[in-house]
Amino acid sequence: MRQVAVLGIGQTIIDEQWDKSLREIAGEAAFAAMQDAGVEHPEGLFVGNMLSPLIGGQNQLGTFIADWVGMWRAEAVKIEAACGSGGAAFRAGLMAVASGEMETALVVGVEKMTDKAGHDVTAALTTAADADYEVEQGVSFVGLNALVMRRYMYEFGWKHADFGPFSINAHANAMHNPYARLHDRITIEQFERSAMVATPINLLDASPIGDGAAAVILVPAEKVSSLPGRPRIVVAGSASATDTIAVHSRKDPLFLSAAYLSAKRAYEMAGVGIEDIDLFELHDAFSIMAALSLEACGFAERGQGPRLGLENQIQIKGGRIPVCTRGGLKARGHPVGATGMYQIVEVAQQLRGECGRGQVDGAKTGMAQNIGGSGATIVTHILKAE
Amino acid sequence: MRQVAVLGIGQTIIDEQWDKSLREIAGEAAFAAMQDAGVEHPEGLFVGNMLSPLIGGQNQLGTFIADWVGMWRAEAVKIEAACGSGGAAFRAGLMAVASGEMETALVVGVEKMTDKAGHDVTAALTTAADADYEVEQGVSFVGLNALVMRRYMYEFGWKHADFGPFSINAHANAMHNPYARLHDRITIEQFERSAMVATPINLLDASPIGDGAAAVILVPAEKVSSLPGRPRIVVAGSASATDTIAVHSRKDPLFLSAAYLSAKRAYEMAGVGIEDIDLFELHDAFSIMAALSLEACGFAERGQGPRLGLENQIQIKGGRIPVCTRGGLKARGHPVGATGMYQIVEVAQQLRGECGRGQVDGAKTGMAQNIGGSGATIVTHILKAE
């Protein structure tokens, strides 16, 4: 397969965008990416989305969005892997261009979640879990993650406050991201006093939902030159792996084996080790997931993920592995099916050096990891600036 | 890209399978395909499904089914393109193997629709249409097709009875397919007297929904030998195209431009013309769609599709272009997201010569065309026996 480059990127603000329809939000990100790339008519469209059938009454989003952005007649399809939909759509677009099947692909992650009441959204999000064996017991998606976090704290002896640095870092980084949903610094005191959602997960452990879209244009790398001030961004590593859909089926519910596997394959494909990764856009839907991702990907020992936060190793400035550099799911926001594409766009922004006060100095290699369900589908990508 | 072969096939009966869950139905087809292929651990899974989030409360079907069939840790993803989901999933699996990304792929189309009441299913099916501009007006999916059929009859001067041969042929062919939902021959008198659904579409113009799954195992063609009595089945042509999502946006709502485009590309890729196609599994969700598909793919002149039926050109025995040889959507049944995979499995059965009294004698080249929405997403595949 040939190498593929991210030529253009685009994103919308994440917010309660009640004045815009799903197609308008998707179009805004898509047009921004097309303009950024100077590509008017991509040959194919790959859409990542999870909830549009349930919340918007709209299926067939591939064609729906292709129609809206003027890609008449082009191939278009939707990919769904719960909250991992964006990363999975990126991988599908990547494969289409890498295989030679098309010369340009547009990938859009989009979600419009805030048109429904909170309990409807909570119900819709449980479709990521096992309907027959988990949801049937009355557990919500945050409830499942709370069970994992509680067990983790018990096994490895962490206090709730030890997870605070993940959220504090995400909120601090979002201050420099105009597209982020939340723009407020938080303290460890606020983190500890925040309203409980599902013990031990409180409001500041959990990422806010939102409406938003992020998009890229993919082309063969051989067609892109590295220009002064605008490096060529190539997709150096890409892999996807799964685990059991239900958390209770896992031998070890505290290890993200699909994160481990997909990261391992992505490292091998890119020819890099963890020491080469300059930043990591990880899937901090809940603070516990930040710890588990860092462990599975090799940045921390088993059970020691929180230590990275406590020892100031995740910050943009001076951290060994800066994470959530644009705010992460926690503060940039988590429009579920779009999140994986926000991560890709954010890594590209860092590699281009376009992040201003949120810039990771000299970033050359960045990783994005998108998770569907409670670690059930995990897609890992490594991008390099050349 | 390298050539890909269909090594194994599997399918379940289409019925109201209230005693089986979606995962059991998907597993039945998947295990049959794996056994048929002699492949125990495919590297990747591509699932075609439209309605599981809405009817079963289950998203993330890729991982959900990978887990069930023992594909632990493998890559898995769901593809959705309304009723074109099965064909789109097949194309995604094809690209994964053709690109060299994996050596074996399992593709499963699955749908479980009959657990909900009819009006819930009708509402769920409208998510294939444009929620903002079509469904908002109160039109159902069959209503949209009825508008197209009525206009077609007006433009080209056909009577309702002229569409009868499509349904009569489908019902006759399903008599030889043990997996078909309906096993009853119908007459033109029954066709004309059938209960009206949405004028001019009556019950015998419309395909029945159902629960079912169909699956294949894809491998590189170079790894498969042609054996006596078991030819090698290769995917010779594959293409996908789209049209506007809303029917009212089309310059000509009576021409399936996405069928035309995807068929044209598939013919070119396969190096065949319409005269080489020995059978055509078309998407007769409604009888009007059979006529429009035959026209767009070059088998009939514009407005003359019904003539092929009236002149006995679509039958298995002696027809110029046998269609719906296993019963089509009309009588085999239409478990929406699975249908495209049933078509692929049926073409493979014909090319293997396994159809008994329903066999198209000497079939060497077969075509399958799967449609999402009212002609909005169309995927065309050409398979060859070697």
Side-chain angles (χ1 to χ4, degrees):
Chain A
M1 293 203 296
R2 58 185 178 180
Q3 199 163 40
V4 174
V6 176
L7 184 59
I9 58 177
Q11 60 188 315
T12 76
I13 192 169
I14 297 176
D15 207 341
E16 297 183 3
Q17 303 200 49
W18 294 353
D19 57 333
K20 290 182 182 164
S21 69
L22 183 142
R23 71 180 97 204
E24 289 172 308
I25 295 170
E28 190 179 322
F31 287 130
M34 289 156 77
Q35 187 168 25
D36 186 44
V39 167
E40 283 187 9
H41 297 289
E43 287 178 41
L45 171 62
F46 300 83
V47 174
N49 174 270
M50 175 184 176
L51 296 177
S52 172
L54 291 162
I55 291 184
Q58 184 67 60
N59 255 310
Q60 209 178 180
L61 277 201
T63 304
F64 181 79
I65 293 169
D67 184 6
W68 180 250
V69 302
M71 290 175 65
W72 298 298
R73 301 186 164 67
E75 174 162 11
V77 79
K78 182 188 88 184
I79 318 288
E80 187 273 316
C83 302
S85 300
F90 182 78
R91 186 162 154 77
L94 175 72
M95 227 179 285
V97 177
S99 69
E101 184 67 16
M102 53 185 69
E103 296 300 304
T104 47
L106 171 64
V107 187
V108 180
V110 61
E111 205 72 75
K112 186 156 169 58
M113 308 172 69
T114 69
D115 288 352
K116 293 265 185 180
H119 60 272
D120 289 328
V121 175
T122 297
L125 288 171
T126 62
T127 60
D130 191 315
D132 294 341
Y133 301 127
E134 289 180 318
V135 184
E136 188 68 18
Q137 313 301 323
V139 72
S140 68
F141 193 66
V142 58
L144 276 171
N145 283 273
L147 292 171
V148 172
M149 184 169 180
R150 187 190 281 252
R151 183 74 194 176
Y152 183 89
M153 291 165 69
Y154 171 81
E155 288 284 346
F156 298 109
W158 297 107
K159 306 185 303 293
H160 179 259
D162 297 330
F163 295 84
F166 291 123
S167 296
I168 292 167
N169 174 65
H171 276 262
N173 292 347
M175 298 298 288
H176 311 301
N177 180 3
Y179 301 102
R181 172 137 200 206
L182 303 179
H183 289 110
D184 51 347
R185 291 182 191 279
I186 61 166
T187 64
I188 189 69
E189 291 72 28
Q190 286 170 305
F191 180 76
E192 279 301 276
R193 284 200 312 266
S194 180
M196 193 54 71
V197 180
T199 318
I201 292 179
N202 73 23
L203 201 62
L204 288 179
D205 286 296
S207 54
I209 65 161
D211 309 329
V216 301
I217 291 283
L218 295 175
V219 297
E222 70 212 25
K223 298 204 175 163
V224 183
S225 305
S226 186
L227 300 172
R230 171 110 176 208
R232 182 170 81 161
I233 311 294
V234 299
V235 186
S238 171
S240 180
T242 59
D243 202 338
T244 64
I245 184 110
V247 175
H248 62 241
S249 297
R250 297 179 198 159
K251 283 188 187 164
D252 183 351
L254 302 182
F255 185 68
L256 296 178
S257 65
Y260 167 78
L261 274 176
S262 63
K264 183 166 173 283
R265 287 184 208 144
Y267 293 148
E268 287 168 4
M269 184 176 164
V272 302
I274 57 164
E275 64 283 1
D276 300 307
I277 306 295
D278 297 315
L279 68 137
F280 181 17
E281 294 304 330
L282 54 74
H283 192 96
D284 56 328
F286 304 100
S287 57
I288 177 66
M289 296 308 276
L292 295 182
S293 288
L294 285 164
E295 294 170 23
C297 296
F299 295 100
E301 297 292 314
R302 288 294 308 280
Q304 301 304 312
R307 195 173 298 278
L308 282 173
L310 293 166
E311 295 179 353
N312 300 320
Q313 295 302 319
I314 59 171
Q315 281 96 327
I316 288 176
K317 303 299 179 192
R320 181 158 71 83
I321 180 65
V323 306
C324 304
T325 67
R326 309 296 285 154
L329 281 62
K330 177 65 202 80
R332 171 243 292 134
H334 185 28
V336 292
T339 286
M341 285 304 299
Y342 273 96
Q343 295 175 317
I344 295 286
V345 166
E346 290 163 355
V347 170
Q349 285 185 304
Q350 287 286 2
L351 299 184
R352 284 181 176 185
E354 296 177 348
C355 296
R357 292 177 61 193
Q359 181 65 42
V360 175
D361 293 331
K364 295 288 180 197
T365 305
M367 184 156 91
Q369 185 169 73
N370 190 201
I371 303 185
S374 306
T377 310
I378 304 192
V379 193
T380 305
H381 283 98
I382 295 172
L383 274 57
K384 278 188 186 175
E386 297 181 337
Chain B
M1 293 203 297
R2 58 186 177 177
Q3 199 163 41
V4 174
V6 176
L7 183 59
I9 57 176
Q11 60 188 315
T12 76
I13 192 170
I14 296 175
D15 207 341
E16 297 182 3
Q17 302 200 52
W18 295 352
D19 56 335
K20 289 183 184 163
S21 69
L22 182 142
R23 72 179 97 204
E24 289 172 308
I25 294 170
E28 189 178 324
F31 287 130
M34 288 155 77
Q35 187 168 28
D36 187 43
V39 168
E40 283 188 8
H41 297 289
E43 287 178 41
L45 171 61
F46 299 84
V47 174
N49 174 268
M50 174 183 177
L51 296 177
S52 173
L54 290 162
I55 291 184
Q58 185 66 61
N59 255 310
Q60 208 179 181
L61 277 201
T63 305
F64 180 79
I65 294 169
D67 184 6
W68 181 250
V69 302
M71 290 175 65
W72 299 298
R73 299 183 165 68
E75 174 162 10
V77 78
K78 182 188 89 183
I79 319 287
E80 188 274 316
C83 301
S85 300
F90 183 77
R91 187 162 153 76
L94 175 71
M95 226 179 286
V97 177
S99 68
E101 184 66 16
M102 53 185 72
E103 296 301 304
T104 47
L106 170 64
V107 187
V108 180
V110 61
E111 205 73 75
K112 185 155 172 55
M113 308 172 68
T114 69
D115 288 351
K116 294 264 185 180
H119 61 272
D120 288 328
V121 176
T122 297
L125 288 171
T126 62
T127 60
D130 190 316
D132 294 340
Y133 301 127
E134 289 180 318
V135 183
E136 188 67 20
Q137 313 302 323
V139 73
S140 68
F141 194 67
V142 58
L144 276 171
N145 282 272
L147 291 170
V148 172
M149 185 170 179
R150 187 189 281 252
R151 183 72 195 179
Y152 182 90
M153 290 164 70
Y154 171 81
E155 286 286 344
F156 299 109
W158 296 107
K159 304 186 304 295
H160 179 259
D162 297 329
F163 295 85
F166 290 123
S167 296
I168 293 167
N169 173 65
H171 277 262
N173 292 348
M175 298 297 287
H176 311 301
N177 180 3
Y179 300 101
R181 172 140 199 202
L182 303 179
H183 289 110
D184 51 345
R185 291 182 189 280
I186 60 165
T187 64
I188 189 69
E189 291 73 27
Q190 286 170 303
F191 179 76
E192 278 301 276
R193 283 200 313 266
S194 180
M196 192 56 69
V197 180
T199 318
I201 291 178
N202 73 22
L203 201 62
L204 289 178
D205 286 295
S207 53
I209 64 161
D211 309 329
V216 301
I217 292 283
L218 296 175
V219 297
E222 70 214 25
K223 298 203 175 164
V224 183
S225 305
S226 186
L227 301 172
R230 172 108 176 211
R232 182 170 80 161
I233 311 294
V234 299
V235 186
S238 171
S240 180
T242 59
D243 202 338
T244 64
I245 185 110
V247 175
H248 62 242
S249 298
R250 297 179 197 158
K251 284 189 186 163
D252 183 351
L254 302 182
F255 184 69
L256 295 177
S257 65
Y260 168 78
L261 274 176
S262 62
K264 182 165 173 284
R265 287 184 207 146
Y267 293 148
E268 287 167 5
M269 184 176 163
V272 301
I274 57 165
E275 65 282 2
D276 299 307
I277 307 294
D278 297 315
L279 68 136
F280 181 17
E281 294 305 330
L282 55 74
H283 193 96
D284 57 327
F286 304 100
S287 58
I288 178 66
M289 295 308 278
L292 295 182
S293 288
L294 285 164
E295 294 170 22
C297 296
F299 295 100
E301 297 292 315
R302 290 292 310 278
Q304 301 304 310
R307 196 174 297 280
L308 282 173
L310 294 166
E311 294 178 354
N312 299 321
Q313 295 301 319
I314 58 172
Q315 282 96 330
I316 288 176
K317 303 298 179 192
R320 181 158 69 83
I321 179 66
V323 305
C324 303
T325 68
R326 309 296 284 154
L329 280 62
K330 177 65 200 81
R332 171 244 292 137
H334 184 28
V336 292
T339 286
M341 284 304 300
Y342 272 96
Q343 295 175 317
I344 296 285
V345 166
E346 290 163 354
V347 170
Q349 286 185 303
Q350 287 286 1
L351 299 185
R352 284 180 176 186
E354 295 177 349
C355 295
R357 292 176 62 193
Q359 181 65 41
V360 175
D361 293 331
K364 294 287 180 199
T365 305
M367 184 157 91
Q369 185 168 73
N370 190 201
I371 303 185
S374 306
T377 311
I378 305 192
V379 193
T380 305
H381 283 98
I382 296 173
L383 273 58
K384 277 188 188 177
E386 296 182 339

